[in-house]
Amino acid sequence: MAASPSTARAINDRFALRLLQDEGPLTATQLKALTGLSRPTVADLVERLQGSGLVHVVGESGAERRGPNAKLYGLVADRAHLAALDVRTSSVSVTVADLLGSTLAEASVPVGDDSGTGAAVEKAVSLLERTAKEAGADRLHTVAVGAPGLIDPATGELRDSTGLPAWHRRLVAVLQERLPADVLVENETNLAAVAELREGAARDREDFVLLWLGQGVGAAVVLDGRLRRGASGGAGEVGFLPVPGTSGLPSATDCDGGFHELACAAAVEALATTHGLDPAHALASGHEPFLDALAHRLAVGAAAIVSVLDPGCVVLAGETGHQGGAGLAARVQSALAALSPLRAEVRPTSLGDTAVLRGALLRARDAAQDQLFP
């Protein structure tokens, strides 16, 4: 069935808005060429989007003759303000941006173990409020929070997890109570994968697994260009993966004995110490026995993932992946090739410590645009 006139207009408007988001300011002539629409249809579209407050004239194109065809149209960046939070076990980082995703202000604050739940939450919320004020954002439209732990697919809420601070779950509830904004929460590793897919190391891939190697160990699964969360939101909980070389088997409540025991930050530091290295500089030391031993450990977990998903690409992220860089990735790829008949390229993160925040900002921007765009 042919689309109704109103449906066709909505489809064309959204297409044009996405082009303005992805390509930057465009003239009516450029919009006509990119959309394939007629000149009168583009003229009506531009007038309609200007009237909605989503598009305005931002200048003129030197490539066009002066007049209506020379006008450059762009999204109204301050039509909505967004915020992204990266919530770690001992810190919170915040970025406030406009509808285009351009950063307006950012800040971070440590949250010590001695902070009670209420104090920790207040510290995080106050940081967001100060940063928004600094950015000139009187009202936030959408806030996306990246945090460790499982997200309940039915409720979208952060589930209670053993070993994670109680203030994480309370923070989301307080943000929803105090802010006149949509508050979204997503697993930090999933957000890092979204950022690497769209702006980082996996931009040329539709299938890959991001292996998060930090204080905790996890993975994010992207297949056919889509993030896969699993039936319970737990796809990628590889810290619980039973692997050889550990002290035993993990349990439903404790990942000791799982891949976490081999690959978490504490395990990497202990391995560095056994090789006589300063843990703070071991990953950049070039010490081959240490790096080879670490690569073998990581390859053990990667081989199990590759044997099930065959993603063709593994991105090493988190503290260890970032600091180890291309050198560690190459060693893991070599060790993985010896363990699995399924080939997978291993790449280091290209976004480093910013991956979670960037992913959260992309999540907030997508959600805001879905609401604002017709």
Side-chain angles (χ1 to χ4, degrees):
M1 293 179 61
S4 67
S6 61
T7 300
R9 284 194 296 271
I11 292 171
N12 292 339
D13 288 357
R14 182 173 282 261
F15 185 27
L17 288 165
R18 291 297 180 189
L19 286 171
L20 291 171
Q21 166 69 65
D22 296 338
E23 305 294 334
L26 298 168
T27 65
T29 300
Q30 290 169 324
L31 279 170
K32 175 181 179 297
L34 291 169
T35 61
L37 300 173
S38 67
R39 189 174 298 278
T41 300
V42 169
D44 289 344
L45 176 153
V46 168
E47 183 178 356
R48 194 162 53 246
L49 294 179
Q50 285 184 286
S52 70
L54 288 170
V55 169
H56 62 165
V57 177
V58 297
E60 291 188 346
S61 170
E64 304 281 353
R65 66 181 187 274
R66 295 189 63 79
N69 289 336
K71 292 180 180 179
L72 277 169
Y73 299 98
L75 293 182
V76 179
D78 60 1
R79 180 70 170 75
H81 289 104
L82 319 169
L85 282 78
D86 180 3
V87 180
R88 306 291 176 96
T89 55
S90 59
S91 68
V92 176
S93 298
V94 173
T95 293
V96 176
D98 60 26
L99 186 59
L100 291 173
S102 301
T103 299
L104 303 176
E106 51 190 354
S108 60
V109 64
V111 180
D113 294 336
D114 56 345
S115 299
T117 298
V121 169
E122 185 58 37
K123 202 170 188 179
V125 175
S126 296
L127 177 70
L128 174 58
E129 292 174 339
R130 290 196 307 271
T131 309
K133 183 176 181 180
E134 179 186 339
D138 296 330
R139 180 187 177 92
L140 292 171
H141 183 281
T142 307
V143 177
V145 180
L150 294 175
I151 308 300
D152 189 318
T155 65
E157 296 178 351
L158 187 65
R159 289 165 53 181
D160 190 14
S161 300
T162 303
L164 294 177
W167 64 268
H168 281 193
R169 296 185 70 240
R170 182 58 187 153
L171 172 61
V172 174
V174 172
L175 289 172
Q176 291 170 332
E177 293 167 3
R178 284 177 47 171
L179 297 178
D182 290 332
V183 179
L184 314 171
V185 61
E186 179 62 273
N187 173 267
E188 60 178 354
T189 305
N190 285 346
L191 290 176
V194 169
E196 297 287 359
L197 172 67
R198 293 171 58 174
E199 300 181 346
R203 281 174 294 179
D204 61 336
R205 307 290 308 197
E206 288 197 343
D207 301 324
F208 76 98
V209 168
L210 180 135
L211 191 55
W212 184 270
L213 305 165
Q215 183 174 349
V217 174
V221 179
V222 175
L223 299 175
D224 299 323
R226 293 177 54 200
L227 181 68
R228 308 291 179 163
R229 295 180 176 85
S232 65
E237 285 294 315
V238 297
F240 288 87
L241 187 70
V243 292
T246 63
S247 59
L249 290 173
S251 70
T253 58
D254 189 353
C255 57
D256 285 346
F259 183 48
H260 174 90
E261 186 178 310
L262 296 182
C264 70
V268 176
E269 292 172 0
L271 181 64
T273 300
T274 64
H275 284 270
L277 301 174
D278 177 358
H281 304 100
L283 286 164
S285 67
H287 190 275
E288 292 192 3
F290 163 71
L291 293 173
D292 287 342
L294 176 58
H296 177 73
R297 287 187 176 193
L298 300 182
V300 167
I305 297 168
V306 167
S307 68
V308 174
L309 298 175
D310 190 18
C313 179
V314 176
V315 175
L316 302 184
E319 178 184 336
T320 299
H322 180 40
Q323 293 183 10
L328 179 61
R331 280 180 161 85
V332 174
Q333 181 169 320
S334 177
L336 177 58
L339 294 176
S340 173
L342 304 179
R343 292 294 177 257
E345 182 181 0
V346 181
R347 302 176 178 180
T349 169
S350 64
L351 298 176
D353 293 338
T354 67
V356 175
L357 265 181
R358 191 60 201 166
L361 189 56
L362 289 168
R363 177 78 172 86
R365 192 184 76 186
D366 288 348
Q369 290 182 356
D370 281 344
Q371 285 193 27
L372 296 171
F373 290 4

